[in-house]
Amino acid sequence: MGLAKDIGIDLGTASVLVYIKGKGIVLNEPSVVAMDKGTGKLLKVGAEAQAMLGRTPGNIIAIRPLREGVISDYDMTERMLREFIRKVSGYSLFKPRVIICVPSGITEVEERAVIDAGIQAGARKVYLIEEPVAAAIGAGIDITQPDGHMVVDIGGGTADIAVISLGGVVESASIKIAGDQLNEAVVKYMRRKHNLLVGERTAEDMKKKIGCVFPQEEETQMEVKGRCLLTGLPKIVNVTSTEMLEAFEEPVERIIEAVHSVLERTPPELVADISTNGIVMTGGGSLVQGFDKLITERTRIRAKIADDAVSCVALGTGKSLDSLNSMQDGTMNLSRRKQMN
């Protein structure tokens, strides 16, 4: 039974990662819940529910309870969290303290919802930390120094861009354009250009295999199966990485604009630091081929992808568990502790 361990949760739009103090990341599953529409009974959570997306019979629905980084279905989020917490901590008499990671642009109402969901799911106390701060810690940056760092965290639902110094966020932007919107762009492109209807999971697959945002030396291609809009029958199309470049253009441009706007608002001393330190990229979306090259070219600041980019936020959330004991009670959002003391 033992004493409950503190838990860090990266509650993402696309996946949930759970970190347990002393053990590291113990769970990484898609944020999907499958339930029976008739009875409201929870059937599957995570990877098993993910497999049902887009293929369920009428009475079963697969839901992604988070949209664009925030809770869109409160009840389901809470139930999903409860399942995941139970999976990793077993049945303990004591409730764990939990840090949950949130996008930097989140409103107080949305913060409240995350905290309540955490408490309902079995946490004794819930603290929040902002994604770019967690990502910076996870990428190994010492954020306590008076030295400017820029983090671009591209997740599933949001892209968070922040300049961090002295343990806090100096300037940031959070836009609801990230991995999911790249997938949507692929779906739209295939419809427009090839009259082909493809599902979300196929789009995701294409993004991973041949997606790129910077012209490549060698073009890659893959066969894509979908439904022809003209005949309504299955059809196979060959798609190249150059076409993906074209499909991604609009959402990617928006991310670059956000990076620019954060740089424009950053104090000159910190901009000087950033041009020395470079831009650190984290999150699954930053793994799309050529993203680092594109940002380097457009900002003239060297961008590099953090090691283990997907887990950075979860690792950083986990590492910040160490500072829980030194926190004053009443602190809710670690990154904003300046205003909240």
Side-chain angles (χ1 to χ4, degrees):
M1 277 280 176
L3 196 62
K5 293 249 200 276
D6 292 336
I7 297 179
I9 299 177
D10 171 9
L11 184 61
T13 312
S15 42
V16 176
L17 283 79
V18 179
Y19 181 106
I20 290 191
K21 198 168 172 174
K23 286 189 187 164
I25 295 175
V26 291
L27 179 139
N28 176 356
E29 297 214 20
S31 356
V32 184
V33 180
M35 65 173 271
D36 185 320
K37 212 159 53 180
T39 61
K41 195 166 154 285
L42 203 65
L43 301 172
K44 299 276 185 226
V45 172
E48 295 172 316
Q50 162 101 11
M52 300 180 175
L53 270 184
R55 338 191 127 126
T56 55
N59 60 327
I60 300 174
I61 42 175
I63 310 167
R64 294 181 57 182
L66 294 125
R67 278 267 164 239
E68 304 182 332
V70 295
I71 295 178
S72 66
D73 183 330
Y74 177 81
D75 181 45
M76 282 298 138
T77 303
E78 179 222 303
R79 287 163 72 173
M80 177 174 78
L81 271 178
R82 181 178 304 152
E83 283 297 310
F84 285 150
I85 291 175
R86 204 180 72 197
K87 223 177 197 176
V88 298
S89 56
Y91 291 91
S92 161
L93 287 175
F94 301 96
K95 294 182 166 187
R97 289 185 299 182
V98 176
I99 295 187
I100 300 179
C101 198
V102 294
S104 55
I106 192 170
T107 65
E108 276 184 19
V109 175
E110 290 163 345
E111 276 189 6
R112 202 65 258 171
V114 175
I115 292 167
D116 292 345
I119 299 282
Q120 291 298 323
R124 172 170 46 139
K125 191 138 196 218
V126 174
Y127 299 93
L128 304 180
I129 183 168
E130 289 180 27
E131 264 160 25
V133 175
I137 298 172
I141 296 170
D142 179 1
I143 62 165
T144 56
Q145 299 302 316
D147 188 18
H149 288 277
M150 183 178 227
V151 176
V152 176
D153 174 53
I154 306 172
T158 56
D160 280 273
I161 298 126
V163 174
I164 296 166
S165 175
L166 287 169
V169 174
V170 183
E171 271 304 337
S172 69
S174 178
I175 56 171
K176 302 194 166 178
I177 293 197
D180 287 348
Q181 284 63 38
L182 293 179
N183 292 353
E184 274 167 36
V186 173
V187 173
K188 281 185 188 144
Y189 181 84
M190 294 303 290
R191 183 183 290 165
R192 203 176 59 233
K193 176 106 188 269
H194 293 290
N195 277 322
L196 191 73
L197 211 56
V198 296
E200 196 182 334
R201 292 182 56 197
T202 305
E204 167 90 11
D205 206 30
M206 292 164 68
K207 176 177 73 180
K208 285 184 172 156
K209 287 189 179 135
I210 57 168
C212 68
V213 295
F214 195 80
Q216 282 176 300
E217 287 156 29
E218 214 157 282
E219 196 174 63
T220 51
Q221 56 173 330
M222 76 180 271
E223 278 191 350
V224 179
K225 298 188 180 86
R227 186 170 81 223
C228 175
L229 280 167
L230 306 175
T231 63
L233 300 172
K235 169 171 145 182
I236 297 180
V237 175
N238 257 325
V239 182
T240 65
S241 52
T242 313
E243 290 184 274
M244 297 293 278
L245 189 67
E246 210 177 304
F248 288 151
E249 197 171 351
E250 200 186 342
V252 166
E253 205 45 53
R254 297 275 301 277
I255 294 173
I256 299 281
E257 276 166 23
V259 173
H260 270 176
S261 78
V262 171
L263 279 169
E264 276 165 15
R265 299 195 306 268
T266 302
E269 298 293 327
L270 291 178
V271 173
D273 291 346
I274 293 166
S275 66
T276 311
N277 295 330
I279 294 173
V280 175
M281 298 182 67
T282 62
S286 64
L287 300 176
V288 176
Q289 276 232 294
F291 229 135
D292 47 346
K293 290 190 189 127
L294 183 69
I295 289 188
T296 303
E297 186 191 76
R298 300 289 291 274
T299 58
R300 302 203 177 81
I301 301 171
R302 189 177 45 91
K304 58 175 190 295
I305 296 168
D307 299 337
D308 206 355
V310 178
S311 323
C312 275
V313 172
L315 288 171
T317 307
K319 283 186 192 163
S320 60
L321 288 169
D322 298 338
S323 57
L324 271 187
N325 296 328
S326 62
M327 253 132 40
Q328 297 152 314
D329 268 359
T331 308
M332 275 310 173
N333 192 329
L334 310 190
S335 341
R336 294 191 198 159
R337 54 178 176 255
K338 298 184 175 66
Q339 301 109 329
M340 293 195 136
N341 291 352

